[in-house]
Amino acid sequence: MEMQEAFTHLIWIAIFVAAVSTYIIGGCRYSLFENQWMATNNFTKEYLQQRNLPLAFGLSVLFSFIISFNLAMFIGTKADV
């Protein structure tokens, strides 16, 4: 299968939904276990307020999309065999 043909068989809305749902589930998990996560990593609220939030959230969304895209390519190629 050619690479261009592999891209045409992808369901882009499913990739987008998977990336966004990963991001949302991660946010819910973080909000539920914030104190345990901070204690495990020895973070303080002051330290976390110094982060560059647009960069952190932007990279999180980007990597969620990359993972979803990679999984769609992997499953799509195996299902066609």
Side-chain angles (χ1 to χ4, degrees), residues 7-56:
F7 287 133
T8 60
H9 287 98
L10 293 177
I11 303 171
W12 290 99
I13 191 71
I15 294 170
F16 177 76
V17 168
V20 170
S21 67
T22 301
Y23 185 74
I24 291 171
I25 291 170
C28 291
R29 185 185 68 199
Y30 169 78
S31 67
L32 288 173
F33 301 108
E34 176 183 10
N35 294 331
Q36 293 91 338
W37 176 78
M38 286 175 52
T40 301
N41 293 297
N42 296 321
F43 290 152
T44 62
K45 289 199 182 270
E46 294 79 25
Y47 173 75
L48 293 177
Q49 289 174 348
Q50 296 173 357
R51 294 181 299 175
N52 184 352
L53 289 181
L55 178 64

Side-chain angles (χ1 to χ4, degrees), residues 51-81:
R51 294 181 299 175
N52 184 352
L53 289 181
L55 178 64
F57 287 119
L59 287 175
S60 178
V61 170
L62 174 68
F63 290 137
S64 293
F65 179 78
I66 290 171
I67 291 169
S68 299
F69 176 78
N70 187 16
L71 187 60
M73 289 293 291
F74 177 74
I75 290 174
T77 355
K78 294 297 181 190
D80 291 340
V81 173

